[in-house]
Amino acid sequence: MKVLANDGLSQPAIDKLTQAGFEVLTTRVAQEQLSNFIITNQIKALLVRSATQVDKKTIDAAPSLELIGRAGVGMDNIDVAYARQKGIQVVNTPAASSISVAELVFAHLLGAARFLHDANRNMPLEGDQRFKQLKKDYGKGLELKGKTLGIIGFGRIGKEVAKIAMGMGMQVLFHDKEVASDTLDLSFFDGQSVSFELEGSPLEELLGKSDFISLNVPATQNYVLGQTEMAQMKKGVGIVNCARGGVLDEVALVDALENGIVAFAGLDVFESEPQPEIRILMHPNISLSPHIGGATIEAQERIGLELAERLIDLLKTPTV
Ligand SMILES: O=C(O)[C@H](O)COP(=O)(O)O
């Protein structure tokens, strides 16, 4: 039984599937040739990350498909409803990358609060005058300890973000339409743990009180943070978006950066991927990363193994 892992798959997952009798192809097939490749090779399971689009056209043109696996969380690149309607099983790995994404939120927060992204671009090859000037330019960094972090979206990732923030001595507010309150267990290295009860806040209150805001919601039809919400934020706020491009209005963000409402932003995802807007790419107060929230060795191993197990279970291939 053939599996196409079109956006790559960790080696332990490939090994597990191979041992279970699957033939795993890791050829990166271009979007336009995908349907044809699936038919020609009689692919039964198509595994993707966020790069490959699995739309109606691809699904219609690939009758051999029995399963679509998303190696990751967001399924906005897959027409899930249509696939299921056609009898194709669709699975993802919602929990496996939460820690990696949460840690990237803090990579952006800690980095941008100390201008690291811009300092990296501007460090002089030589010349102590320029070095001294940069020392002045980057001389007004911010500490995170004691500040308030507003987390919008309190699912698995939002909760991991909250735990790191609490460990750093930050105050945490969260807003989630589905979650009124929650208990967080903070585990320490020595096995001890402490529980915290958190009450959700109305969005307006979170916007007005937060020194930093992290977006941790799934893809949405409308902006979660647009011009109206930015006008309600505390002056000098830092915003991090490691969720999805369309949840943050980038035009409103650049305006808010220009008028000083927002001091900095950290963006891992963009309204336009893989080619973000030039104003976003060139802005000195935006820390950038190319959609790598789940891209750690640990997360990809967990994702791959979880997906392999689901696939073996669902397609019930006899082991060789
Ligand atoms: O939804 C996800 O899992 C993340 O956005 C990561 O996407 P990726 O698998 O394309 O890196």
Side-chain angles (χ1 to χ4, degrees):
M1 197 180 274
K2 285 187 187 166
V3 176
L4 172 63
N6 206 42
D7 297 325
L9 191 66
S10 71
Q11 194 56 46
I14 295 175
D15 294 345
K16 195 172 180 77
L17 286 169
T18 309
Q19 278 161 19
F22 289 90
E23 186 183 340
V24 184
L25 309 181
T26 51
T27 329
R28 173 76 177 92
V29 184
Q31 194 68 48
E32 317 77 66
Q33 282 138 30
L34 188 59
S35 309
N36 200 20
F37 187 94
I38 293 173
I39 301 166
T40 314
N41 291 281
Q42 284 299 294
I43 301 291
K44 292 267 188 271
L46 170 64
L47 308 184
V48 298
R49 286 177 61 180
S50 60
T52 302
Q53 300 299 313
V54 193
D55 52 15
K56 278 197 177 76
K57 210 168 126 218
T58 312
I59 294 166
D60 278 338
S64 62
L65 267 192
E66 290 179 17
L67 183 143
I68 299 166
R70 164 59 162 114
V73 186
M75 302 222 271
D76 39 313
N77 54 322
I78 302 169
D79 195 331
V80 179
Y82 191 66
R84 288 190 175 141
Q85 192 187 313
K86 288 276 190 174
I88 300 171
Q89 308 187 69
V90 187
V91 293
N92 68 341
T93 57
S97 55
S98 307
I99 292 170
S100 293
V101 180
E103 289 186 1
L104 187 68
V105 170
F106 280 88
H108 278 291
L109 263 183
L110 288 161
R114 303 301 290 271
F115 313 100
L116 294 191
H117 59 291
D118 208 43
N120 276 316
R121 289 172 187 144
N122 290 327
M123 282 295 281
L125 286 176
E126 53 189 42
D128 71 340
Q129 281 316 317
R130 178 91 180 112
F131 189 100
K132 283 176 189 160
Q133 182 56 46
L134 290 179
K135 195 167 156 63
K136 279 187 195 150
D137 292 348
Y138 303 134
K140 289 198 170 136
L142 296 170
E143 290 182 348
L144 267 55
K145 185 170 179 171
K147 301 277 166 47
T148 300
L149 176 67
I151 300 170
I152 303 178
F154 212 55
R156 293 179 184 86
I157 297 171
K159 285 175 194 159
E160 288 302 329
V161 171
K163 288 183 196 173
I164 299 174
M166 290 171 119
M168 291 179 67
M170 300 182 83
Q171 182 175 353
V172 172
L173 298 177
F174 81 83
H175 171 78
D176 190 314
K177 284 183 191 147
E178 314 284 327
V179 187
S181 66
D182 217 318
T183 306
L184 289 186
D185 293 319
L186 251 74
S187 310
F188 299 99
F189 206 63
D190 61 2
Q192 298 203 51
S193 69
V194 183
S195 292
F196 289 91
E197 187 73 33
L198 286 183
E199 291 290 324
S201 304
L203 183 60
E204 213 175 324
E205 183 186 329
L206 179 148
L207 297 175
K209 287 187 175 166
S210 299
D211 300 298
F212 307 107
I213 292 174
S214 174
L215 281 156
N216 298 108
V217 289
T220 48
Q221 292 293 331
N222 301 314
Y223 295 128
V224 175
L225 294 185
Q227 211 172 15
T228 314
E229 290 73 26
M230 287 187 206
Q232 295 168 352
M233 290 176 191
K234 210 166 160 176
K235 194 170 161 55
V237 65
I239 300 175
V240 177
N241 184 11
C242 290
R244 276 294 178 272
V247 304
L248 174 67
D249 180 347
E250 290 176 358
V251 172
L253 173 68
V254 173
D255 287 348
L257 283 161
E258 297 306 315
N259 65 30
I261 300 250
V262 176
F264 67 80
L267 304 182
D268 183 52
V269 288
F270 305 89
E271 284 195 65
S272 167
E273 285 185 30
Q275 181 54 71
E277 289 292 324
I278 193 80
R279 288 211 303 165
I280 294 289
L281 292 177
M282 300 303 290
H283 204 290
N285 295 334
I286 302 182
S287 161
L288 302 160
S289 56
H291 200 148
I292 52 166
T296 61
I297 292 166
E298 293 87 348
Q300 288 306 315
E301 278 196 14
R302 283 193 296 266
I303 286 170
L305 287 173
E306 189 180 324
L307 201 56
E309 277 159 22
R310 298 286 312 271
L311 204 147
I312 292 165
D313 186 39
L314 290 167
L315 295 187
K316 296 193 176 32
T317 295
T319 45
V320 282

